[in-house]
Structure formats: structure tokens, C-alpha cells
Amino acid sequence: MEMGSSWPEVIEKLIGSPDYVRAFRQVYGDGILREHVRDSIAEFERSLSTPNSRFDRYLRHHTGAVSSSEQQGYELFKSFGCASYHQGVNIGGNMYQKLGVMAPYFADRGHINRADRGRFNVTGDSRDMYMFKVPSLRNVELTPPYFHDGSAATLQDAVRMMAKYQLGRHLTDHEVELIVEFLKTLTGELNGHPL
Amino acid sequence: MTMAQIRSVLIGAGAASLLTFMFIQQRSVDPRQHNRFIGNLLRMKQLDAEINRDLLSSRYELLRSYDPFVQKLDEIRKAGAGLQLIPLFVSGSKREQIVQLLKRESEVLSEKARLVETFKSNNAVLNNSLRYFPVLMAEATRAAAEAKDTQFQVHLTNLFRDILLSDLTSHSDLVGVLNAEITLIASDATRRPALGAILGNVRAHAMTITLVKPQVEATSEELNSFPTGRSFDAIFRGLFARL
């Protein structure tokens, strides 16, 4: 169970959401049970294979798949070092990193809670304090809010915050927009249809 | 001897023969079990060597993704789970010895997996700063030129040169020089408050490179000399001693 949670805790949280209660009853008939949660997560994970984004096509030498400003965003993404964290086939999702490498994210945000301890909650190792899995950026435009605490409502906010806390840089609005344009090229297809 | 007694003796003898046959069967070498076990051992050894190779490639950016680490550690875990099925023909103290060796190997591999995570996290921080540093230096140099501050420009040029040089070497000879240059940049920032933000960032990334690079190298060295696979030879001996 991720983030040091437990089955009773997960089920209690789901039962607290009328939307989930309705959705589970609709799909499984007999409500929110552990096996149904497992099944729905497995179904969700199967839906995560979303290939053939415009950026995938660009990497396959379809140069027209990505516009000039999106390419500029990609160049900024690389030159600002973001590709050191977000790399691999999923553009992330294969390592852990401290949130707040160059500036104290949690001190700035305040109200530190248990979830903020990140991987420490799983390992109990003090070296894992504030370490989080670097997320995949595939389909990132479709998955707000961002970060473990949902503190960034938009992709623009997320890019600004990452630059500030992981790089120590205040991006201009133009730089933010270029990077966001690039990130939108990472939206793929599900069963051959654009997401 | 009555018929009933003869029947009892025959049944007893039959049962004893059957038990003896089953015992021999259990202890005889089953080639499938043997091959599966040896296959998992060899696979683990190979994956461990591949991880060591990937570490070096990753450190020098010949490998630009951490996906292979995730895949290979996952494969090692699967092969390790397969090794829990010790062939039935290995019994007694030999079996117990193999159980203990496998337990030890599993502990060593868990520790190695933890160190690989440390390597990835630190290496990413280092690469992030190294990648960003030229952008930052171009901006800082432009600001120094606009301010017509030649002393500041010389400090920046020296720092940039030595950061690049330090990245080319695997030892820490330049740490003292870099620390002195970072101190000069800090005093430049005091002298020129208008450039404080950019100089602060130059200093922060230079310090990150100076601090994290030795950590990455120490982790790489530790991983490359990690005692994984040492139990394998003992396990092989344990298996073949029975054959």
C-alpha cells in the first residue's frame, strides 16, 4: 500500500466520497470492497498505456508533429536540467527526489503534515524524508492538480514551482508558456483515440 | 503362516518398497528443478553485473535514463523469488546452508537496491546543476559585461572553467580551488546587490556540484565493489556437492 496507508483507511476514505460510492455501485453492484478497489486500480493502470503522443512522433522524426514554440519549450526543458529528473520512456516515474532541492518548499508552504514526509513514511529511513517519486509527465496536462499535496492548480503553477524549488530560478511568463506548450505535446492516445 | 499373515507381510513389504522408492525419487536429481535453480542463479549474477555496467554508463551520461535500473532490479527480485524453490534433492544441512546463503544474498541485494536509489537521486541533482550551469553562467557573464565589472567577469570565467574541469575528473583535487572561487562570487554579490539573485544562484549550483559530485562518485564506487553474488559460488558448491 503506497504512502504508508492501509486497506481500512483506503476503504474509509472511498466510502466518504459519494462519487466513488456511486461509481463502485454502478460498476460492481455490491459497493466498495478490497477486491473491487484492486480490480479498478488494475483497470486504471491498463488505461495508462497511452502511446503516440505528438512528442513520440517528433522523436520518430516526424518533425512537423511539434511546433517551433513547442520545440523551444523542449530546449528550455533540457537546458534547465528538468530532463535529469524526467527521463526514460515515461519521462519520469523511475526515481525519487527531494521536493525542495534548491529552496525550502515545506517551510514556505507551512502546515507540514504526515503525507509531506514522502518516502520516509514507507522506509522509516531519515534519508528519505521529503523524497517523492518523480512523476511521469505523460498526459500531464490532463492530471491537475499537481504535486502530492495538490498545491499547484495549473500546469503553469506547477512549472513555476518546480523551477523555484528544484532549480532556484524564477521563470518569466514566456519561459513558463513555452515549457507548458512542450508538456502538452506529451498527451497520448488511448485505443487509437486522442485523450 | 496363515493367508492373513502372508497378506500382511506382503502389504508391509509393498508399503516399505513404495516409501523407499518415493524417498529415492525425492533425493534423486531432477534436471528441471536443477536447471531452473541454476538458471535463476546465473540470471541474478548477470543482472548484477549489468547494473554495475549501467551505473558507470549513467555516471558518464552514456545511459540517459534510469529505466534499465528499475527493470533489472525488478528482474533480480523475480529471479530471487524463484530461488526460494530449492531443488528437493538438496536436503539436510546442505539445504539449510543454501537457505542461509540465499537469505544473506537477499539482504545484500536489498541494500544494493537502496544504494542504487541514492545514486539515481544524487546523480540527477548533479546532472541538473551541470546541465543548467552553462545557461546560468551565460546570463551572469552578460550581467557582468553590462555592469562593466571585469573583476567579476574574471571570477565567473575561472569558476566556470574549474567546474568544467572538475566534471572531467573522478577525483576531488579541485574542491579547494572551487570553494575559494565560490567565496569570491559571494563577495561579488555583496559588492553588487543588484546582481544578488543571479550570483546567489550561480553560487548555489556551484556548491551543489562541488558537494554532490564526490557523493555520487563514492556511491558508484561502493556499488561497484558491493559484495553481491559472493554467496553464489558457495551455493553452487552446495548444489554440486550432492551430485
Side-chain angles (χ1 to χ4, degrees):
Chain A
M1 187 63 60
E2 295 243 346
M3 307 305 288
S5 190
S6 65
W7 276 112
E9 196 181 339
V10 168
I11 300 222
E12 194 188 322
K13 275 185 187 163
L14 291 173
I15 287 172
S17 159
D19 286 345
Y20 276 126
V21 171
R22 199 177 313 115
F24 270 88
R25 198 177 298 130
Q26 213 171 356
V27 176
Y28 297 101
D30 52 352
I32 299 177
L33 301 174
R34 185 188 295 199
E35 53 269 33
H36 297 337
V37 176
R38 276 207 192 110
D39 183 65
S40 61
I41 291 173
E43 197 57 36
F44 166 70
E45 288 186 351
R46 275 190 282 274
S47 78
L48 293 179
S49 178
T50 56
N52 208 28
S53 69
R54 287 194 292 123
F55 186 64
D56 291 322
R57 296 202 290 272
Y58 174 69
L59 292 181
R60 292 197 299 262
H61 307 292
H62 296 206
T63 44
V66 169
S67 73
S68 152
S69 57
E70 288 161 345
Q71 284 181 43
Q72 284 178 54
Y74 178 45
E75 291 306 318
L76 285 182
F77 182 83
K78 288 190 291 181
S79 64
F80 290 163
C82 315
S84 304
Y85 302 117
H86 296 280
Q87 30 61 43
V89 71
N90 286 321
I91 313 132
N94 57 13
M95 60 173 289
Y96 298 93
Q97 193 48 260
K98 184 183 172 186
L99 180 50
V101 170
M102 300 305 284
Y105 174 80
F106 292 105
D108 285 1
R109 196 207 61 194
H111 305 295
I112 297 174
N113 59 44
R114 191 173 183 277
D116 294 332
R117 300 189 302 189
R119 189 160 157 75
F120 172 82
N121 284 330
V122 179
T123 65
D125 187 333
S126 60
R127 289 167 292 193
D128 290 331
M129 188 65 84
Y130 307 135
M131 298 286 276
F132 293 85
K133 187 172 268 187
V134 175
S136 161
L137 293 179
R138 286 195 176 271
N139 309 315
V140 68
E141 69 165 314
L142 306 174
T143 60
Y146 302 101
F147 307 134
H148 74 288
D149 54 2
S151 57
T154 66
L155 207 42
Q156 281 81 355
D157 292 342
V159 169
R160 259 188 215 98
M161 284 168 67
M162 278 292 97
K164 179 179 176 186
Y165 291 105
Q166 303 305 102
L167 194 63
R169 183 184 180 95
H170 292 274
L171 298 181
T172 64
D173 288 347
H174 183 58
E175 287 171 334
V176 171
E177 284 310 322
L178 288 173
I179 294 174
V180 167
E181 280 193 42
F182 157 64
L183 293 176
K184 288 181 177 176
T185 68
L186 302 175
T187 305
E189 295 175 351
L190 182 61
N191 301 326
H193 302 288
L195 285 168
Chain B
M1 195 178 275
T2 65
M3 281 304 286
Q5 284 172 322
I6 291 169
R7 198 182 309 124
S8 298
V9 169
L10 284 175
I11 289 171
S17 304
L18 184 64
L19 283 171
T20 307
F21 173 76
M22 287 169 70
F23 181 71
I24 290 166
Q25 276 296 103
Q26 186 210 351
R27 291 175 61 86
S28 69
V29 174
D30 179 334
R32 276 175 309 174
Q33 288 182 12
H34 179 262
N35 290 344
R36 176 183 43 74
F37 193 79
I38 295 288
N40 279 325
L41 271 181
L42 292 173
R43 183 74 187 127
M44 282 180 83
K45 211 167 180 177
Q46 183 194 342
L47 287 164
D48 187 49
E50 285 179 13
I51 286 175
N52 288 350
R53 181 200 61 198
D54 290 348
L55 279 164
L56 287 173
S57 303
S58 186
R59 172 66 194 93
Y60 296 102
E61 289 209 70
L62 297 169
L63 184 67
R64 308 191 87 166
S65 144
Y66 298 126
D67 287 350
F69 292 108
V70 177
Q71 286 154 5
K72 282 164 192 168
L73 284 170
D74 190 45
E75 272 191 68
I76 280 191
R77 273 188 279 271
K78 282 178 187 155
L83 284 176
Q84 299 307 311
L85 298 168
I86 300 169
L88 290 169
F89 62 80
V90 182
S91 58
S93 63
K94 288 273 183 238
R95 189 177 186 85
E96 184 51 34
Q97 188 192 353
I98 289 176
V99 167
Q100 292 306 320
L101 288 167
L102 286 174
K103 188 169 170 249
R104 179 164 154 56
E105 191 60 30
S106 164
E107 287 164 2
V108 173
L109 279 169
S110 297
E111 182 57 15
K112 180 162 185 168
R114 191 193 65 74
L115 268 180
V116 168
E117 289 302 333
T118 303
F119 169 83
K120 289 191 293 181
S121 302
N122 286 341
N123 196 47
V125 169
L126 176 63
N127 285 338
N128 175 252
S129 285
L130 284 170
R131 185 69 56 196
Y132 179 48
F133 209 67
V135 175
L136 200 50
M137 292 307 280
E139 291 173 351
T141 307
R142 206 176 306 127
E146 281 167 12
K148 296 186 173 42
D149 189 331
T150 47
Q151 189 188 10
F152 173 29
Q153 282 177 287
V154 169
H155 291 165
L156 285 172
T157 307
N158 291 346
L159 177 64
F160 196 20
R161 179 199 59 215
D162 291 331
I163 286 282
L164 292 177
L165 277 175
S166 80
D167 188 43
L168 288 174
T169 60
S170 59
H171 49 77
S172 317
D173 291 356
L174 285 167
V175 169
V177 175
L178 284 170
N179 283 333
E181 286 167 351
I182 291 166
T183 307
L184 285 177
I185 297 290
S187 62
D188 288 335
T190 316
R191 210 160 42 79
R192 293 220 172 252
L195 302 176
I198 195 161
L199 289 181
N201 213 0
V202 167
R203 198 169 148 248
H205 282 278
M207 281 171 70
T208 299
I209 293 166
T210 313
L211 282 172
V212 179
K213 186 172 173 282
Q215 290 172 12
V216 170
E217 271 152 15
T219 311
S220 304
E221 268 182 46
E222 191 180 350
L223 277 164
N224 272 301
S225 57
F226 216 68
T228 40
R230 289 197 187 159
S231 309
F232 292 154
D233 291 340
I235 293 171
F236 275 115
R237 280 197 300 276
L239 277 177
F240 290 114
R242 175 65 191 84
L243 294 178

